[in-house]
Amino acid sequence: MEAETKKTEAAEAEESEKQEPAAESQQTAGQEVPSEEPKQEPKEAAKEAPKEAQPAEPDPLETARKALAAKEKEYLYLRAEYDNFRRRSAKEKSDAYSSAKADAALKFLPVYDNLERALAQGCQDEAFLKGIEMTMNQLKQVLESLDIKPIDAVGQPFDPKYHNAVMHIEDEKLGENVVSQCFQTGFVMGDKVIRFAMVQVAN
């Protein structure tokens, strides 16, 4: 009896051992195995990539018009620059000539002053006096040809633009600020004073 009982226990133990792996296999089978989701290829990948837009070729006529407009603008700019240069050069040349002419005339004015004093003194020798008068007239003609003229002074209202007052007197016969005497004749060349008149002013 004991032997049969042992055989029965051994047989049950073997069966239990066989059932345990089966159970484990059943548990493993019962577990959810994560399945890999199929990768979805993008729809755009199936389609062909669109061709890159190529820039349109420039219109030759429009290009030529732009080039012509640029050249015309450059021409007008150069023309304006040349006109300004021409005017500036002409003005500088005229100013240089006027300045040189005025400087040369100033060298002859003392001669004019001496002839004017000689005529004011008078002379008994008529021929000598006539010669001085002719020399003075010739000098005046030369100065006038250079557009150099004497400034009117005696009897004129005092004008600081043309007169240089060195003396003042009281004279009832003359009005206020009137030039009564001129000690040295002044000269203008056009509108420019090259020498002020040295005068005496009344009242």
Side-chain angles (χ1 to χ4, degrees):
M1 290 293 291
E2 292 180 1
E4 290 179 2
T5 303
K6 290 180 180 179
K7 288 180 181 181
T8 303
E9 292 177 357
E12 291 178 358
E14 288 179 1
E15 287 180 2
S16 63
E17 289 178 0
K18 289 179 181 180
Q19 289 176 358
E20 287 179 359
E24 291 178 359
S25 62
Q26 288 178 0
Q27 290 178 357
T28 305
Q31 290 179 354
E32 293 182 358
V33 179
S35 60
E36 295 182 358
E37 293 182 358
K39 297 181 179 179
Q40 294 182 356
E41 295 182 357
K43 295 180 180 180
E44 296 178 359
K47 299 180 181 179
E48 294 181 357
K51 295 181 180 180
E52 295 182 358
Q54 296 180 354
E57 294 183 358
D59 185 7
L61 181 59
E62 187 65 22
T63 303
R65 286 177 179 174
K66 290 181 179 180
L68 179 61
K71 290 294 182 183
E72 185 178 2
K73 185 177 180 181
E74 183 180 358
Y75 166 75
L76 293 175
Y77 177 77
L78 291 175
R79 180 178 178 181
E81 283 291 319
Y82 174 73
D83 289 343
N84 292 335
F85 170 76
R86 182 171 53 81
R87 293 191 193 96
R88 185 167 57 250
S89 298
K91 187 177 183 304
E92 289 176 355
K93 182 179 179 180
S94 177
D95 292 344
Y97 174 71
S98 298
S99 297
K101 185 169 65 173
D103 291 342
L106 284 173
K107 303 295 182 182
F108 290 96
L109 294 185
V111 178
Y112 181 97
D113 296 336
N114 289 330
L115 292 174
E116 192 174 39
R117 293 188 189 100
L119 291 173
Q121 292 295 327
C123 181
Q124 295 180 355
D125 190 342
E126 295 182 359
F128 181 76
L129 183 61
K130 185 69 173 178
I132 295 176
E133 290 178 353
M134 292 178 62
T135 304
M136 185 62 163
N137 291 334
Q138 189 175 9
L139 180 58
K140 287 181 178 179
Q141 291 176 1
V142 171
L143 293 175
E144 287 179 2
S145 66
L146 296 175
D147 195 24
I148 297 174
K149 299 177 181 180
I151 296 173
D152 293 334
V154 178
Q156 299 295 324
F158 174 75
D159 189 347
K161 294 180 180 179
Y162 302 103
H163 305 143
N164 180 21
V166 295
M167 290 183 65
H168 290 269
I169 62 169
E170 295 293 333
D171 191 342
E172 296 179 357
K173 296 180 181 179
L174 299 174
E176 187 176 359
N177 288 333
V178 175
V179 176
S180 60
Q181 187 177 355
C182 180
F183 301 113
Q184 188 180 61
T185 304
F187 289 88
V188 292
M189 185 177 65
D191 296 332
K192 180 180 179 181
V193 177
I194 61 175
R195 191 176 78 174
F196 290 91
M198 189 180 298
V199 298
Q200 172 182 274
V201 181
N203 306 322

